[in-house]
Amino acid sequence: MSPPADNAPEIEGTVHAIVFHNEENGFTIMQVRDARGETTTVRGRIPAVVEGERVRATGQWKNDRRFGRQFEAGRIHALPPETPDGIRRFLASGLIDGIGPTYAGRIVEAFGIDTFRIIDTESQRLEEVAGIGKARRLRIKDSWKRQRSVRDIMIFLHAHGLSTARALRLYKNYGEEAVNILRADPYRLARDLPGVGFRTADEIARQMGQSPEAPRRLAAGILHILAEAAARHGHCALPREQLLADAGAILACEPSQLEIPLNHLLLETRVVAENNGTETLIFPSDLHEAESLVAQAILRLLAGPVTLPKIDPAALDWFERHHDLKLGAEQADAVIRATRHRFFVITGGPGVGKTTILKALLHILVAKKVQPVLCAPTGRAAQRLSESTGREAFTIHRALEYQPHTGFARNAHKPLAGDFFVIDEASMIDIRLMAALLSAIPPHGSVLLVGDVDQLPSVGPGGVLRDIIGSGVVAVAKLTEIYRQAASSRIVLAAHEINRGRYPSLETTPDSDFFFIERQGTEAITETIRHLITERIPSGFSLHPRDDIQVLTPMNRQSLGTRELNVTLQSALNPPAELKFEIERFGTTFRTGDKVIQTRNNYDKEIFNGDIGHIAEITAEPTSIHVTFDGQRHVRYEPGELDELQLAYAVTIHKSQGSEFPAVVIPLSSQHHIMLQRNLLYTAITRGKRLVLLVGEKRALELAVRNSDSIHRHSGLEAKLRQTLPNPANQEG
């Protein structure tokens, strides 16, 4: 809508009812009552509005065939309500935590038109109102302060064409100074706010008068490319030439124009340059520091004397007698070698006996008075580790005693308590988390990493397990023998065949746990998946369609990506119902009962990227969403925080790392050709415990099996480990 002329008609009144409000673009239809008591329908854009508020709208009158005379507003300004009734309706809207319709009436009855001033400057007087004690009064005061700041942010976002639904996220990031911070540096929007890209922040900066050649803009573009490389592709660094070329593309300038801004960033140590012998890599300073910390910690451990008691064949015999089993040659060798190094790695695929090795190590070492500490990157992985070993296991964050506002309590100055540190699912650990963990290992500690190096690398930056193994300076037990019990599983056999680049057998038997269902075209694949999850698998295998079956797909986009599949599966498994609450945010409709996944780490809530749960309840006044994770942790989300959640009937294979599911369904289509890689398919198949079904085109399966060219991650850890070690530490003690 065009801005109104200076002499355009204007109306002012109190918002009597909100007919429609779109939080993404601010478009609103509302009933406004003027001082004479006449009600007018007003249509226009306003970032936020509640009943009882006054508005001043400028625009033009129009006659609608269906709805009669309406006011089309080019500009709408919200004004504080002035009448007792307006103030009561405003407070009763649910905007202020701790005040519903009942308390709104009591407060306005007590303070009348002075209500806002009382809340603002004399909030202790609220305790004069029946039912309001100190705790509720503090809730009201804090919520009042927050809603004012959030509204200021909404107005800032709205003025620059951004979704006002992000306002709460910005308030949580920056507090009351959010608008001032964004005015000073709008590029922080791209750095700190998911869903807002560099181009959007750059346009806001342009509107504020930022010159295209401004050094701050060019530096922001360089930093953005490095941040995107880490977040989207897992790079810890980029080759200098690639960095300048990519930054030049988004900044619409020649790479040569970025040499000076890059040099300034280097001088300010906001980025670090490192030559690996073939090219110069540019690192964000925090990732370079994390790599250096990891390398130094590993080398420090390798340089020290062995501290674990050695395990000999007699100890293995004792363990075998107590557990009525016989260790294989690879397993026995790994157990013995693991105690002869301060830092040791065990890697191998499914069914090769990693769990049995851990049981033997822990059983024997505990008998020798060694104190073990077991941890894993995710809650699900830690739970599985605990179940398989019979010993308590922690997430790495919990072991390091993470505090939301201060970071890890356990570090080099306050190391972990223990002797033998076992870290499972090590392929999932990114460089930042590994740096924090190794920094907290006590001087006498020994470390064992356990993981499958052939799986996908971590979601976060780095290829830590692969780089550690590739350096050649750390002792490694690579397990290849599949043991008898696992060898009866077609899932295990198919995974190993694919990992070797061989096409798996697709023959089925009545007791098979691995199936390929051939379908051509996305519609046929989607319909087959829907039928499998809603009918075939629940009835044939007695599995719950929401809790036990997981669709894993290579991508988010396209018709067989997570977005489209989630819409289809939500409709089939959790359709709308009259008594079922739902809320729409960030393009997704969330309903009570929906399966959801956390999409990034939230340390305040102690919920992490990849955690899967379900919506137990959606409440009103104020609106909140309650999600249950792992059947026991209950987490509350406000509507503005729902950009952290996605539907999880279908998730990407990357997001499934570290998890296992009773049944896994994997669509395979040539539309995913860019993502069809051997380690991606291998990772997906190894997520299934009882049942794996591939649905799609044989051509896509063949392409994935043949394609071993996984995306290379730029990092410097392997080189750092090689360059700093005077003598190979991989020799047996």
Side-chain angles (χ1 to χ4, degrees), residues 87-100:
I87 295 170
R88 180 189 58 76
R89 290 165 68 88
F90 179 87
L91 292 178
S93 67
L95 189 69
I96 310 301
D97 191 16
I99 302 180

Side-chain angles (χ1 to χ4, degrees), residues 258-295:
L258 300 175
E259 292 283 356
I260 292 175
L262 176 57
N263 287 334
H264 283 151
L265 289 171
L266 288 165
L267 287 171
E268 294 166 0
T269 65
R270 296 176 71 185
V271 300
V272 177
E274 186 172 270
N275 191 288
N276 62 8
T278 57
E279 59 187 353
T280 298
L281 294 175
I282 306 296
F283 294 77
S285 57
D286 67 316
L287 294 181
H288 185 267
E289 181 183 13
E291 280 197 353
S292 300
L293 284 171
V294 169

Side-chain angles (χ1 to χ4, degrees), residues 529-540:
I529 289 172
R530 188 199 63 77
H531 175 69
L532 286 170
I533 291 173
T534 58
E535 298 179 38
R536 183 81 178 273
I537 299 175
S539 62

Side-chain angles (χ1 to χ4, degrees), residues 606-640:
E606 295 188 15
I607 297 296
F608 302 102
N609 192 351
D611 284 353
I612 293 176
H614 71 273
I615 297 176
E617 185 182 16
I618 298 176
T619 60
E621 289 192 20
T623 303
S624 60
I625 293 85
H626 301 261
V627 180
T628 300
F629 292 93
D630 300 329
Q632 53 190 12
R633 290 181 295 162
H634 302 284
V635 181
R636 177 180 176 272
Y637 293 82
E638 296 180 49

Side-chain angles (χ1 to χ4, degrees), residues 99 142 199 308 358:
I99 302 180
D142 289 345
R199 294 185 191 280
L308 291 175
L358 280 183

